[in-house]
Amino acid sequence: MAGIADVARSAGVSKSTASRALTGSGYVSDETRARVRAAASALGYVPTMWAVSLATGRTNTVGVMVPSLDRWFFASVVEGIQSALLTDGYDLVLCCAPPGSDSRRRMFAHSLARKRFDGLIAVGVEPDETEREQLAAFARPIVSVGHDGGAMSISIDDRAAARIATEHLLGLGHTDVVILGGDPDGRRTSVGDGERLLGYRSAMTDAGLGAAARHIPCEVSLPGGYGAAVEMLADRRTRPSALVGVCDEVAVGAMIAARRLGVRVPEHLSVVGIDDHSYADMFALTTLQQRPDEQGRTAARLLLDMLAGEVAPPRHLLEAPRLVVRNSTAAVSDAASAIVGASRRRT
Amino acid sequence: MAGIADVARSAGVSKSTASRALTGSGYVSDETRARVRAAASALGYVPTMWAVSLATGRTNTVGVMVPSLDRWFFASVVEGIQSALLTDGYDLVLCCAPPGSDSRRRMFAHSLARKRFDGLIAVGVEPDETEREQLAAFARPIVSVGHDGGAMSISIDDRAAARIATEHLLGLGHTDVVILGGDPDGRRTSVGDGERLLGYRSAMTDAGLGAAARHIPCEVSLPGGYGAAVEMLADRRTRPSALVGVCDEVAVGAMIAARRLGVRVPEHLSVVGIDDHSYADMFALTTLQQRPDEQGRTAARLLLDMLAGEVAPPRHLLEAPRLVVRNSTAAVSDAASAIVGASRRRT
């Protein structure tokens, strides 16, 4: 195969000029650039970067698909992936688009089909039927973060997290414990949040409180938790003594609502979240900790191993959640019982 | 130049098998793949993607540098860039690393030097001396979002935003107005936040209140604003009647601190932010609106124009901030004066 020296000789320029003309770095006149490119083309010369790609079939890039960046969890996972890929000299091609969007269809139809990356990390993607086929056609290594799809995936043990959160409240003597967040019928609830609802229900059932289990639906975000909690807490008849937020953002929203209404946390209301969001500490929120940046790093390392030819058996890695007790939970108090007691819906 | 048909013929396989072997899509035995690659190499065949890159000197990717993703502003800018690039079929290579980190050094030394992208969008990068030289050596189009460096940049008019915020409070009759956020000596304060401090000071000075201007330093984040505000508001001697948050995250942190201390907003304390963050509406925060997603889209379109050969004159596009009045600001009340009055530091 022709080298840069051959191209330079054929075009009648120096090696450094030939290199500048082909890589686009530094000044070269249009006429010289055209002459060098013609020589390169005639000789079948391939600049190093593409030569490497051609020889190995590799692009040295990894695609990362994510529905949104303006959420603590997704942003932290992507930061973790980035740091692991940088260490190995891989570029991260970002594909950020919400489900159902034109951008998302374009990503699946074009970016995946063009195979511009060696492997893919799908973060919270939860593909539909068509997307599942497109992922299969991609035919390169895929690792998912969150539940789904991929043969290889990483997530927190969502069911255990909600179970531990609920048991913490039950252990403190609470019996009127609700879970806040997600859809009324669960159809648009993410698989992970669905698992959390199941974990809550199983803890309530095992404690003989299955009939008292209550799910308060709301958008899974801080404003979503705030709105639903204002409504629930403002009415003494629906006010529980404790709540589990389906994630910290929802739990923090509920705490802000409680403060606004003068409902004291934890004296009158105990609150547990799931995540250990960057705001959890400020709100002294008791929560189940997961480390999304670590999940991102692990996903990247798994993918790099697969790209290096290490064949790992399909598996779903579960990060064990850790209970971090702060100041938002307390033993059920007579005060709380007194407030709720008289008008409790279920006795 | 040889085509895929020549490669297939030379390797003794079908065109589709040759294509699968070279692109890595679909099943091909190792032996066949090796034979096809050898034939491609001997014939100087370049698969389409790289052939296009070779012919045009283009990679069809744009690099995006950003210090962090776990901040509303950065996440929103990157989402805006992504949506504009997807429309034009460009890939987004993400380079996310905080200033001073190893990742950041690696990004500048390797990713930029390898010129793996056609152009660069630098979001809130504020390069140091070395990085400035590395950017110059990149020698391809660069657009920045935020103040800095690049010949072509986009940002909100930070100074005007803080000026309008301060004037809104002065117009309501407040005279004891502080600004919250940033470093004590301004050395690590971002250029944009520095501009906001200047806007505040000029409004105070023009109102004859230059001597009363007070800057309360804190980390520019929600927990940062919360911590500094708890301290400031808990002490009647330092409690102002109004405050400007250097951004909404700081302002919201201050509002949460006020609620915790029983200082009523806006009755006892007026608060204005800058940004119109996704939480601003929930907190009924009066603020100066900027649209980071729109800034991201504009940056991407500018860069694509430059890549298409449209030579634009160097310029700094300023988004005009828009005052959104919600419920966190009110005319200075006798109540507020009474609280602050007796122990006011400056009279």
Side-chain angles (χ1 to χ4, degrees):
Chain A
M1 227 172 185
I4 187 74
D6 306 311
V7 173
R9 201 163 31 237
S10 161
V13 299
S14 71
K15 263 169 69 178
S16 62
T17 302
S19 168
R20 283 207 307 282
L22 291 171
T23 58
S25 63
Y27 177 75
V28 178
S29 74
D30 288 350
E31 187 266 322
T32 305
R33 179 174 295 110
R35 204 164 72 238
V36 172
R37 292 226 170 124
S41 184
L43 291 165
Y45 171 75
V46 182
T48 318
M49 184 187 112
W50 296 299
V52 169
S53 293
L54 182 56
T56 62
R58 289 287 172 81
T59 61
N60 272 319
T61 63
V62 167
V64 174
M65 260 189 203
V66 64
S68 150
L69 288 175
D70 187 18
R71 293 290 300 278
W72 166 81
F73 180 81
F74 294 136
S76 307
V77 170
V78 174
E79 288 188 356
I81 294 171
Q82 171 90 75
S83 74
L85 292 182
L86 267 179
T87 310
D88 266 52
Y90 271 78
D91 282 340
L92 187 169
V93 174
L94 185 70
C95 304
C96 167
S101 64
D102 277 351
S103 298
R104 171 123 162 187
R105 270 185 291 278
R106 216 175 279 128
M107 254 168 45
F108 270 93
H110 300 157
S111 301
L112 270 190
R114 282 187 299 160
K115 295 175 194 285
R116 299 263 317 226
F117 17 88
D118 298 339
L120 178 73
I121 302 178
V123 186
V125 167
E126 304 195 355
D128 63 23
E129 205 48 53
T130 313
E131 291 172 345
R132 217 169 271 283
E133 285 166 21
Q134 287 164 323
L135 285 171
F138 178 60
R140 295 189 179 183
I142 299 177
V143 174
S144 1
V145 179
H147 299 262
D148 140 73
M152 196 63 94
S153 65
I154 296 157
S155 73
I156 187 182
D157 187 338
D158 290 283
R159 202 182 293 204
R163 201 187 159 84
I164 297 166
T166 310
E167 283 169 353
H168 171 62
L169 294 169
L170 296 172
L172 288 166
H174 295 277
T175 51
D176 193 5
V177 180
V178 308
I179 187 161
L180 189 63
D183 275 353
D185 57 6
R187 274 186 306 147
R188 288 193 323 269
T189 302
S190 74
V191 178
D193 289 345
E195 286 287 306
R196 292 180 187 185
L197 293 176
L198 287 174
Y200 159 78
R201 281 189 194 282
S202 77
M204 292 294 279
T205 302
D206 290 356
L209 292 165
R214 263 203 288 163
H215 171 219
I216 312 292
C218 73
E219 192 197 276
V220 181
S221 70
L222 205 150
Y226 174 80
V230 161
E231 214 168 291
M232 173 180 72
L233 299 175
D235 185 343
R236 287 192 172 193
R237 289 166 303 177
T238 58
R239 191 188 295 165
S241 75
L243 73 84
V244 177
V246 80
C247 71
D248 280 0
E249 280 155 317
V250 165
V252 165
M255 288 180 78
I256 294 170
R259 279 193 192 152
R260 189 183 137 192
L261 295 168
V263 174
R264 288 215 300 276
V265 175
E267 293 85 346
H268 297 155
L269 179 72
S270 282
V271 179
V272 191
I274 299 175
D275 274 348
D276 206 24
H277 186 283
S278 51
Y279 293 171
D281 195 46
M282 176 177 90
F283 284 91
L285 178 66
T286 295
T287 190
L288 274 293
Q289 185 180 62
Q290 67 169 330
R291 297 284 313 271
D293 53 339
E294 206 39 65
Q295 291 178 28
R297 268 190 287 274
T298 304
R301 279 191 294 256
L302 262 178
L303 192 78
L304 294 173
D305 286 351
M306 289 159 82
L307 291 174
E310 290 173 29
V311 183
R315 56 193 159 143
H316 189 172
L317 298 177
L318 287 177
E319 182 186 357
R322 190 171 72 84
L323 181 67
V324 181
V325 179
R326 296 199 181 92
N327 251 329
S328 66
T329 46
V332 66
S333 69
D334 293 341
S337 307
I339 289 175
V340 183
S343 50
R344 206 167 227 160
R345 297 194 316 171
R346 285 173 292 274
T347 43
Chain B
M1 227 171 182
I4 186 75
D6 304 310
V7 174
R9 201 161 33 236
S10 161
V13 298
S14 70
K15 264 169 69 177
S16 62
T17 302
S19 168
R20 282 207 308 282
L22 290 171
T23 58
S25 62
Y27 178 74
V28 178
S29 75
D30 288 349
E31 187 267 322
T32 305
R33 178 173 295 110
R35 204 164 70 238
V36 172
R37 292 224 170 124
S41 185
L43 291 165
Y45 171 75
V46 182
T48 318
M49 182 185 115
W50 296 300
V52 169
S53 293
L54 182 56
T56 62
R58 290 284 172 84
T59 61
N60 271 320
T61 63
V62 167
V64 174
M65 261 190 202
V66 63
S68 149
L69 288 175
D70 187 18
R71 292 291 299 278
W72 166 82
F73 180 80
F74 295 135
S76 307
V77 170
V78 174
E79 288 188 354
I81 294 171
Q82 172 89 75
S83 72
L85 291 182
L86 267 179
T87 309
D88 265 53
Y90 270 78
D91 282 340
L92 188 168
V93 175
L94 184 70
C95 302
C96 168
S101 65
D102 278 351
S103 297
R104 171 122 162 188
R105 272 185 289 278
R106 217 174 280 127
M107 254 167 47
F108 270 93
H110 300 157
S111 301
L112 269 190
R114 283 188 298 160
K115 295 175 195 284
R116 299 266 313 229
F117 17 89
D118 297 338
L120 178 73
I121 303 178
V123 186
V125 166
E126 303 193 358
D128 64 22
E129 206 47 54
T130 313
E131 291 171 343
R132 219 170 269 283
E133 285 167 21
Q134 288 165 322
L135 285 172
F138 177 60
R140 295 189 178 183
I142 300 178
V143 174
S144 0
V145 179
H147 299 263
D148 143 76
M152 196 63 95
S153 65
I154 296 157
S155 73
I156 186 182
D157 186 339
D158 291 284
R159 202 182 292 204
R163 202 187 159 82
I164 297 167
T166 311
E167 282 169 353
H168 170 63
L169 295 169
L170 297 171
L172 287 166
H174 295 277
T175 51
D176 192 4
V177 180
V178 309
I179 188 161
L180 188 64
D183 275 354
D185 57 6
R187 274 185 305 145
R188 288 193 323 271
T189 302
S190 74
V191 178
D193 289 344
E195 286 286 307
R196 294 179 187 185
L197 292 175
L198 287 173
Y200 158 78
R201 280 187 196 284
S202 78
M204 292 294 278
T205 302
D206 290 356
L209 292 165
R214 263 203 289 163
H215 173 218
I216 312 293
C218 73
E219 192 198 277
V220 181
S221 69
L222 204 152
Y226 174 80
V230 161
E231 215 168 291
M232 174 181 70
L233 299 175
D235 185 342
R236 288 193 171 193
R237 289 166 304 177
T238 58
R239 192 187 296 166
S241 73
L243 73 83
V244 177
V246 80
C247 69
D248 280 359
E249 280 156 317
V250 165
V252 165
M255 288 181 78
I256 295 171
R259 278 193 192 153
R260 188 183 136 191
L261 296 168
V263 173
R264 289 214 300 275
V265 175
E267 292 86 346
H268 298 157
L269 179 73
S270 282
V271 179
V272 191
I274 299 175
D275 275 349
D276 205 24
H277 187 282
S278 52
Y279 293 171
D281 194 47
M282 175 175 91
F283 284 92
L285 178 66
T286 295
T287 191
L288 275 293
Q289 185 180 62
Q290 68 170 328
R291 298 283 314 272
D293 53 340
E294 205 39 65
Q295 290 178 31
R297 268 189 287 273
T298 304
R301 280 191 293 256
L302 261 178
L303 191 78
L304 293 174
D305 285 351
M306 290 160 82
L307 291 174
E310 290 174 30
V311 182
R315 56 191 159 145
H316 189 171
L317 299 178
L318 287 177
E319 182 186 356
R322 190 171 73 84
L323 181 66
V324 181
V325 179
R326 297 199 181 92
N327 249 330
S328 67
T329 46
V332 66
S333 69
D334 291 342
S337 308
I339 290 175
V340 183
S343 49
R344 207 170 225 158
R345 297 192 318 169
R346 285 171 294 272
T347 42

